[in-house]
Amino acid sequence: SLTVDGRALYVLNAGGTPNITGFAIGARGDLSPLGHSTQPVPGAGPAQVSFSPGGHFLVVTEKAANAIAVLPFINSSGNAAYDYLSDGITDNVRDRIAALQELRVMARRSSVQFREEPQNAQEIGRQLGVGRIIEGRFNRVRDRVSISVALVEAASGFQLWSQIYDGPADELMLIEQALVRDLLAQLLPDRVDEPPPVPTQRQVAAHDLILLGRQYEQQVTDEQRVDETKLARAIDYYGQAIAVDPESAEAHARLGK
């Protein structure tokens, strides 16, 4: 079978061991070999294939296309004191996607490695077996915050969608809600969700304390050892969140862990 995406032609040979050969399409319609896969094409159904001039290839099956990697959002403020915000936003985005049956999201431990060892989208897709990647940046300047987020196709490295959100720092929870709503609309265009209620001042204050607690909780998880000091700080922040907003289900759930 033949597949043409405007830049390349992919030839799938289904006889014997399935394999795919890629050809670049020149301006005059001439073909130049890009690469050839010698490994079996995994799974069944539609597949997206990307070749690089070096002959590297990536096959993304229909199943993998629904697998998402949320990379750690970068704190670009220059102030490490705001790391808990960029990390917390990353974790919240991942949690919202993980709650959807239609999608699969890579665990935090699988994605966090790319904070210290950045790779291009195609390499990340190959290592994690995902079809799409979410990446973002967080910035805070005085009393304003901004979050940029992008949805990237792993096979090609092309940006499928991007958006920048900004506003007052005390509206961060609202900004997060808008970001997640728009992102899910890109991932699942046919899904219709009711907009979340506008958060109260208590919920906003508790949200910040929960993010502080999650920072220490995740540090313990990432280090894979019990750090009593960090655990105590996480518990203290969750307790403060409950004191501010006794009805915070997330604070109660995290404290119960």
Side-chain angles (χ1 to χ4, degrees):
S1 63
L2 304 180
T3 302
V4 181
D5 70 357
R7 298 173 306 279
L9 177 144
Y10 306 128
V11 182
L12 170 61
N13 174 23
T17 300
N19 59 82
I20 299 176
T21 303
F23 300 89
I25 302 176
R28 299 181 179 179
D30 51 308
L31 302 179
S32 302
L34 288 178
H36 179 77
S37 70
T38 57
Q39 299 178 4
V41 178
Q48 299 171 347
V49 187
S50 175
F51 287 91
S52 70
H56 303 293
F57 65 93
L58 174 65
V59 177
V60 180
T61 64
E62 191 172 32
K63 181 178 180 181
N66 289 329
I68 313 292
V70 182
L71 301 187
F73 280 37
I74 298 171
N75 173 15
S76 57
S77 69
N79 187 344
Y82 296 139
D83 283 350
Y84 81 98
L85 292 173
S86 57
D87 288 347
I89 293 167
T90 306
D91 293 334
N92 287 341
V93 170
R94 184 184 300 107
D95 289 349
R96 286 297 304 277
I97 297 174
L100 301 176
Q101 294 182 348
E102 301 95 328
L103 300 172
R104 298 181 300 125
V105 64
M106 296 302 297
R108 183 179 191 275
R109 188 176 299 172
S110 299
S111 302
V112 75
Q113 61 178 305
F114 298 107
R115 187 206 306 275
E116 304 299 333
E117 300 177 4
Q119 302 282 348
N120 62 42
Q122 291 173 317
E123 180 60 23
I124 293 173
R126 186 190 69 79
Q127 290 188 34
L128 299 182
V130 298
R132 287 173 287 183
I133 296 167
I134 297 168
E135 56 188 20
R137 288 180 174 271
F138 170 84
N139 193 19
R140 176 166 180 170
V141 179
R142 293 185 293 277
D143 60 348
R144 297 199 56 91
V145 296
S146 67
I147 307 172
S148 61
V149 61
L151 179 64
V152 179
E153 182 183 59
S156 65
F158 293 143
Q159 195 172 94
L160 302 174
W161 171 83
S162 66
Q163 188 62 269
I164 297 175
Y165 301 83
D166 58 62
D170 59 4
E171 293 184 4
L172 178 60
M173 193 172 178
L174 274 173
I175 294 171
E176 277 190 68
Q177 289 178 348
L179 183 159
V180 171
R181 180 191 64 236
D182 294 347
L183 181 56
L184 294 183
Q186 294 296 319
L187 296 172
L188 298 172
D190 297 330
R191 183 183 176 90
V192 178
D193 289 321
E194 291 293 329
V198 176
T200 65
Q201 289 298 318
R202 285 186 176 184
Q203 290 173 325
V204 169
H207 179 68
D208 191 68
L209 292 165
I210 290 170
L211 294 184
L212 283 164
R214 288 194 71 166
Q215 179 187 39
Y216 290 103
E217 180 185 346
Q218 293 293 4
Q219 287 176 4
V220 173
T221 302
D222 292 343
E223 293 168 2
Q224 299 184 39
R225 65 182 181 87
V226 177
D227 186 317
E228 297 291 347
T229 301
K230 291 180 179 178
L231 280 177
R233 297 197 70 174
I235 291 171
D236 179 62
Y237 279 122
Y238 293 148
Q240 291 183 51
I242 292 173
V244 170
D245 181 14
E247 297 181 358
S248 173
E250 182 179 6
H252 281 288
R254 296 214 159 270
L255 190 59
K257 292 176 64 176

